[in-house]
Amino acid sequence: MPLRIIITAGDAMNIGEAAQLSGVSAKMIRYYETIGLISKATRSYSGYRDYQERDIHILRFIRRARAAGFSTLQIKKLLALWQDRQRPAREVKQFASEHLSELKEKIAELEAIATALSQLIAHCHGDDRPDCPILDTLAGESTGGKFDECGKRHPPIRRHSAPKPKI
Amino acid sequence: MPLRIIITAGDAMNIGEAAQLSGVSAKMIRYYETIGLISKATRSYSGYRDYQERDIHILRFIRRARAAGFSTLQIKKLLALWQDRQRPAREVKQFASEHLSELKEKIAELEAIATALSQLIAHCHGDDRPDCPILDTLAGESTGGKFDECGKRHPPIRRHSAPKPKI
DNA sequence: GCTTGACCTTCCAATGATGGGAAGGTTCAG
DNA sequence: CTGAACCTTCCCATCATTGGAAGGTCAAGC
């Protein structure tokens, strides 16, 4: 992966440098532009996107907000709150609190699953014999078992990670 | 939502009844067939899929495994283990344990986010004044802040829930 | 000037599990 | 025979993210 380190004196920079400085991939910067999360970048004569320090700040904000688990839609609102210097902190606190509640709910769901699974695993002798309470429970005839109760939401397993903040 | 309750004496049934009995939606049954998680259903003369009791058991197994947070790929393996009556329970236990580790890791990540967010919220006075440590942190100039560390994976926010087990 | 390679551009595709809906065929009861 | 409730296949959307192709641009070194 050859990676030329870009150093520029002034403010203006291409998308690659913006990506390096902000920790948001160029791909994602373009994506954020298409979904309207950031405003359309001005273009150089040849069509290259042009970024300033100010854009880098915004992109970093977005990266951190993503790392905090906010969706792009939520970030749109956060950006609006951020840019409005008159907004009362109350609004921000409330918004963040709602997100925190969702997070906690998700955690509780996962923990319910983990607990149930732990118990099954604990009850499995795990030797060469074929009888196994784990499979028996999943196959179970009875209703109202552990896994008829918990784990109602299951986001797809993702291959791609969110951008790993290296800056 | 008109819903006719279907009661059939014998084993053979259409996809709708299979869905009701298994708790897996007809849509998902077809999907599981296309991705090869279940074998292709036999068809009636007119092309309707035909299901037996045995298929219902498999579908219930899949539903519970999904509720336990296994991906369809993992379930494929679980089904193979289940169907192999000679497999040592050790294998199942190991497989489930690996999944449990992943679950715990995910929980830990979410908890790191939740903790960091909690702290920010706690530090926000939340009144009418505009200064707010939450936004300040997201906008922060400094590197190595809370959200430069935690939360590396963020599955997309889903609209659709996994099938809610009602049976 | 020309080449080369590292940039940049747009566009399309895939991921994973799930639902929505259209267009059209089947079945069964009244 | 009609209508409703099934069934079929096919395409689309979600969300954030990456991959890759096809092609334009720029700057350094020859």
Side-chain angles (χ1 to χ4, degrees):
Chain A
M1 234 171 272
L3 182 55
R4 210 165 50 178
I5 301 300
I6 304 165
I7 298 173
T8 315
D11 264 344
M13 60 192 112
N14 287 339
I15 199 170
E17 193 177 357
Q20 270 190 247
L21 291 181
S22 65
V24 177
S25 75
K27 280 270 191 196
M28 290 314 296
I29 296 177
R30 295 194 196 97
Y31 172 67
Y32 291 151
E33 188 183 301
T34 67
I35 65 169
L37 185 56
I38 56 183
S39 52
K40 292 188 181 177
T42 60
R43 301 294 186 112
S44 72
Y45 175 70
S46 57
Y48 285 18
R49 286 177 182 79
D50 235 12
Y51 297 95
Q52 319 288 60
E53 265 301 304
R54 170 185 161 69
D55 302 304
I56 306 306
H57 291 320
I58 294 175
L59 287 169
R60 277 206 270 253
F61 183 100
I62 293 173
R63 175 173 52 77
R64 295 209 183 90
R66 280 294 296 143
F70 288 97
S71 71
T72 50
L73 202 61
Q74 291 173 318
I75 295 175
K76 212 166 194 168
K77 173 139 187 199
L78 282 176
L79 281 172
L81 287 170
W82 184 39
Q83 242 107 71
D84 175 9
R85 296 197 186 172
Q86 305 309 316
R87 101 264 122 180
R90 191 184 356 88
E91 279 186 44
V92 183
K93 186 169 185 170
Q94 162 133 25
F95 193 67
S97 298
E98 283 165 19
H99 177 54
L100 182 59
S101 295
E102 288 168 25
L103 267 180
K104 285 184 175 169
E105 208 176 310
K106 231 175 276 182
I107 291 171
E109 281 172 20
L110 289 182
E111 271 175 348
I113 296 176
T115 301
L117 200 55
S118 286
Q119 287 175 17
L120 285 187
I121 290 172
H123 281 89
C124 178
H125 51 65
D127 61 25
D128 282 344
R129 288 168 294 162
D131 60 296
C132 172
I134 300 170
L135 292 180
D136 288 351
T137 299
L138 291 176
E141 203 68 25
S142 73
T143 82
K146 283 164 186 151
F147 297 117
D148 292 309
E149 304 297 334
C150 73
K152 312 215 185 241
R153 315 183 137 266
H154 294 289
I157 284 70
R158 297 194 48 67
R159 279 165 310 123
H160 302 309
S161 310
K164 300 175 191 175
K166 291 168 193 162
I167 294 181
Chain B
M1 231 174 274
L3 183 55
R4 211 166 50 177
I5 300 300
I6 305 165
I7 298 173
T8 315
D11 264 345
M13 59 192 112
N14 286 339
I15 199 170
E17 192 178 357
Q20 269 190 248
L21 290 182
S22 65
V24 177
S25 74
K27 279 272 192 197
M28 291 313 298
I29 296 177
R30 294 194 197 97
Y31 172 68
Y32 291 151
E33 188 182 300
T34 68
I35 64 170
L37 185 57
I38 56 181
S39 51
K40 291 188 181 176
T42 59
R43 302 295 186 112
S44 72
Y45 175 72
S46 57
Y48 284 18
R49 285 176 184 79
D50 232 13
Y51 296 95
Q52 318 289 123
E53 264 300 304
R54 167 185 165 71
D55 301 304
I56 305 307
H57 291 320
I58 293 175
L59 288 169
R60 276 206 272 255
F61 183 101
I62 293 173
R63 174 173 54 75
R64 295 207 182 93
R66 280 294 297 143
F70 289 96
S71 71
T72 51
L73 202 59
Q74 292 173 316
I75 295 175
K76 212 167 195 169
K77 173 138 184 196
L78 281 176
L79 281 173
L81 287 170
W82 184 38
Q83 243 107 69
D84 174 8
R85 298 198 186 169
Q86 305 308 315
R87 100 264 122 182
R90 190 184 357 89
E91 280 186 43
V92 183
K93 186 168 185 172
Q94 162 133 24
F95 192 67
S97 298
E98 283 165 20
H99 177 54
L100 182 59
S101 296
E102 287 168 25
L103 267 180
K104 285 184 174 169
E105 207 175 312
K106 231 176 275 179
I107 292 171
E109 281 172 19
L110 291 181
E111 270 175 349
I113 297 175
T115 301
L117 201 55
S118 286
Q119 287 177 15
L120 286 186
I121 291 172
H123 283 89
C124 177
H125 52 65
D127 62 23
D128 282 344
R129 289 168 294 164
D131 60 297
C132 172
I134 300 170
L135 292 179
D136 288 351
T137 299
L138 291 176
E141 203 67 25
S142 72
T143 78
K146 284 165 187 153
F147 298 118
D148 292 309
E149 305 296 336
C150 73
K152 311 216 186 239
R153 315 184 136 266
H154 294 289
I157 285 70
R158 296 193 48 66
R159 281 165 310 122
H160 302 310
S161 311
K164 302 177 189 172
K166 290 168 195 162
I167 295 180

